[in-house]
Amino acid sequence: MTTTPLRITVWGENVHEQVEQHVAERYPDGMHGAIADGIREHLPEAVVRTATMQEPEHGLTDAVLAETDVLTWWGHAAHADVDDAVVDRVHKHVLSGMGLVVLHSGHWSKIFGKLMGTTCTLRWRSEHDQELVWTVNPQHPITRGVPNPIVIPEQEMYGEYFDVPAPDELVFISGFTGGEVFRSGMTYRRGFGKIFYFSPGDQDFPVYHHPDVRRVIANAAEWARPERERELPTLRRYDLGEYFDGQHYRGPFDDAPEDEAPADSAPTDSPADSAPTDSPAEIAPTAVQADTAQHGAGARA
């Protein structure tokens, strides 16, 4: 297990907090601030920073993303105002291995839609519903330390049909006062990056102060941590024999010194150099060939 501190960037649209007094009172440090505090509570060794849409390049420069292992994303009122160049940049980093945790109304963000390839639409109602978040995959690490169900006294209702691809893993399903259900916690992989969508959390309710919701988000950030060095999947061509020669082959022994090739590695001779020089007439028949010839002769007799 790696001992390098997990680096998390919490991104917030930060619009409701600026224009709605009740939201500013509920989240005086912004929703991004509350989310970041929750992560710090549960992952004290992590390096957590925040970024908002109002910063240059929305606070998501290439340098910031290069130093981010996991990005969390909350947006709602200004999805259309997010710069496409920033979306493309985040998309590239996710495919290269950066983890992404998309929260609540981030389902309609440009980045989530680009990664899902669907409309990501759903049904909703903001009528102070109680939400019960049921764990349906109790062995998943994101559910560690989380009660079943999580009880959220007041929350915006999200209901099916949720137009997203079938998830790699369904972790949570939510039920609401009106009888609706919703796939509220799902994982995906895109390229080398891991993605978790989690629906609880809204500007009109104090959901990001809820201890169990904070625990889920922290668990998700830990789960989404990259498992390999950041690298964008690329198209590569192999010349004939290149796999056997090991030339430029990015395999399990790629980091081995040239003078310490593994004992069971393939020979370095090219197929042409290692091919037999005897003519077909000089090659002794195999046991199978001899047996076939014998039976064939008996059949003709």
Side-chain angles (χ1 to χ4, degrees), residues 36 234 278:
T234 57
D278 298 322

Side-chain angles (χ1 to χ4, degrees), residues 178-200:
E180 299 87 357
V181 296
F182 188 71
R183 292 167 289 165
S184 53
M186 298 181 285
T187 72
Y188 296 91
R189 289 178 182 262
R190 293 293 185 267
F192 294 137
K194 293 190 286 186
I195 302 166
F196 180 63
Y197 172 75
F198 189 51
S199 65

Side-chain angles (χ1 to χ4, degrees), residues 59 61 118 126 133 137 151 168 173 252 267 277 290:
T61 64
T118 56
S126 188
V133 184
N137 189 347
V151 180
D168 294 339
I173 290 179
T277 57

Side-chain angles (χ1 to χ4, degrees), residues 46 56 62 82 86 105-106 119 126 162 222 244 250 279 285:
D62 196 61
V82 176
V86 173
S105 47
T119 66
S126 188
F162 187 18
E222 197 168 31
F244 300 98
R250 304 180 71 85
S279 65

Side-chain angles (χ1 to χ4, degrees), residues 208-241:
Y208 291 124
H209 296 302
H210 193 299
D212 299 326
V213 170
R214 290 157 82 107
R215 180 63 180 263
V216 169
I217 296 171
N219 287 351
E222 197 168 31
W223 168 83
R225 183 179 195 148
E227 298 175 345
R228 53 179 290 155
E229 185 177 345
R230 189 84 56 91
E231 177 189 19
L232 186 69
T234 57
L235 179 67
R236 293 189 175 96
R237 178 185 184 277
Y238 280 136
D239 289 327
L240 183 64

Side-chain angles (χ1 to χ4, degrees), residues 49-106:
R49 74 168 90 188
T50 63
T52 64
M53 194 177 72
Q54 292 75 29
E55 299 174 43
E57 299 183 62
H58 306 328
L60 299 176
T61 64
D62 196 61
V64 167
L65 294 174
E67 295 178 353
T68 298
D69 296 316
V70 179
L71 174 68
T72 74
W73 190 283
W74 194 98
H76 179 252
H79 292 313
D81 296 332
V82 176
D83 193 312
D84 290 340
V86 173
V87 175
D88 291 342
R89 185 183 303 150
V90 172
H91 183 262
K92 177 180 177 181
H93 277 272
V94 172
L95 297 183
S96 299
M98 183 183 72
L100 179 66
V101 178
V102 178
L103 301 170
H104 191 58
S105 47

